[in-house]
Amino acid sequence: MRIKENVSNKIVINKSEFICYLAKCYDETECRSFIDKIRKEHSQATHVCTAYITNHNMIKKTSDDGEPAKTAGMPMLDALQKNDMEDICACVVRYFGGIKLGAGGLIRAYSNAVSEALKLAVKVEVVKMYIYQLKFTYDWIDKLNYYLKDVYIANKEYEEMVCYTLYLNSKDEAKKIYEFVNGKFDLVFIEEKEVEKEV
């Protein structure tokens, strides 16, 4: 799952502020750029801890940024993984409030900061779709509109023939459409595409 849009949220624990920023990032360059931006915006912060997962879950990195080892970045990454997130960068900015939280308290604080921000995010599922073009004669419009009522039609063109651009869930679906038109019309495969659907 991915987040649809960037989101932020603040929690306060024993007078320390933990501000979590979540961004949709597809590679390490985007993650580093986002982290740099947050660091600049919060140059007075005590810590800016990070965790990210990108490139189809192949790259996972964390930083404790001065907090005791494994009390910040790892719990943040763990919260992302428990929510099945991918292509995401999390930054948690901490402004120290004067009360030490201890290792257990820090782990809970950083994990909760990410979990609470994720609750606010609109989540999308990444689905593989197969894009086809179907060209047919005008006398088939009503029949096909009825048959394709559950199919996402991205585009409709009306020239000498009608041309629909279809987003299909499988190649089997394309086969059924081709059988429905008795092979009378061209159904041409264009490309495979990853599409985001709200969960």
Side-chain angles (χ1 to χ4, degrees), residues 60-133:
K60 299 173 186 180
K61 290 199 177 168
T62 66
S63 164
D64 295 314
D65 192 39
E67 292 281 30
K70 297 187 178 173
T71 61
M74 285 306 288
M76 290 166 62
L77 182 64
D78 192 44
L80 295 176
Q81 289 177 314
K82 277 181 181 163
N83 284 276
D84 295 320
M85 301 309 296
E86 65 175 348
D87 297 322
I88 190 169
C89 180
C91 292
V92 176
V93 176
R94 183 187 182 191
Y95 287 94
F96 184 54
I99 300 169
K100 290 190 174 179
L101 302 180
L106 285 173
I107 289 167
R108 280 191 300 278
Y110 281 100
S111 175
N112 287 346
V114 172
S115 297
E116 291 302 313
L118 280 171
K119 284 178 190 171
L120 299 176
V122 176
K123 299 186 189 66
V124 291
E125 211 169 27
V126 184
V127 181
K128 190 179 279 184
M129 302 291 282
Y130 299 87
I131 303 170
Y132 282 83
Q133 272 193 340

Side-chain angles (χ1 to χ4, degrees), residues 54-188:
T54 68
N55 195 21
H56 301 292
N57 290 325
M58 297 296 288
I59 297 168
K60 299 173 186 180
K61 290 199 177 168
T62 66
S63 164
D64 295 314
D65 192 39
E67 292 281 30
K70 297 187 178 173
T71 61
M74 285 306 288
M76 290 166 62
L77 182 64
D78 192 44
L80 295 176
Q81 289 177 314
K82 277 181 181 163
N83 284 276
D84 295 320
M85 301 309 296
E86 65 175 348
D87 297 322
I88 190 169
C89 180
C91 292
V92 176
V93 176
R94 183 187 182 191
Y95 287 94
F96 184 54
I99 300 169
K100 290 190 174 179
L101 302 180
L106 285 173
I107 289 167
R108 280 191 300 278
Y110 281 100
S111 175
N112 287 346
V114 172
S115 297
E116 291 302 313
L118 280 171
K119 284 178 190 171
L120 299 176
V122 176
K123 299 186 189 66
V124 291
E125 211 169 27
V126 184
V127 181
K128 190 179 279 184
M129 302 291 282
Y130 299 87
I131 303 170
Y132 282 83
Q133 272 193 340
L134 174 64
K135 284 189 177 178
F136 56 93
T137 52
Y138 280 78
D139 55 324
W140 274 75
I141 288 178
D142 289 342
K143 264 187 259 186
L144 279 165
N145 280 348
Y146 182 75
Y147 185 76
L148 301 171
K149 63 183 183 293
D150 296 325
V151 171
Y152 173 54
I153 303 170
N155 191 37
K156 295 180 179 182
E157 288 175 19
Y158 302 94
E159 292 177 2
E160 274 183 48
M161 291 183 82
V162 184
C163 179
Y164 283 4
T165 304
L166 312 173
Y167 277 59
L168 306 177
N169 295 309
S170 69
K171 292 188 174 182
D172 277 351
E173 211 176 333
K175 198 175 160 192
K176 285 174 187 166
I177 294 167
Y178 192 69
E179 284 167 3
F180 178 74
V181 298
N182 298 320
K184 285 181 183 176
F185 306 118
D186 289 338
L187 182 63
V188 181

Side-chain angles (χ1 to χ4, degrees), residues 184-196:
K184 285 181 183 176
F185 306 118
D186 289 338
L187 182 63
V188 181
F189 174 69
I190 307 296
E191 63 174 331
E192 270 181 41
K193 200 173 188 179
E194 282 193 344
V195 176
E196 293 180 348

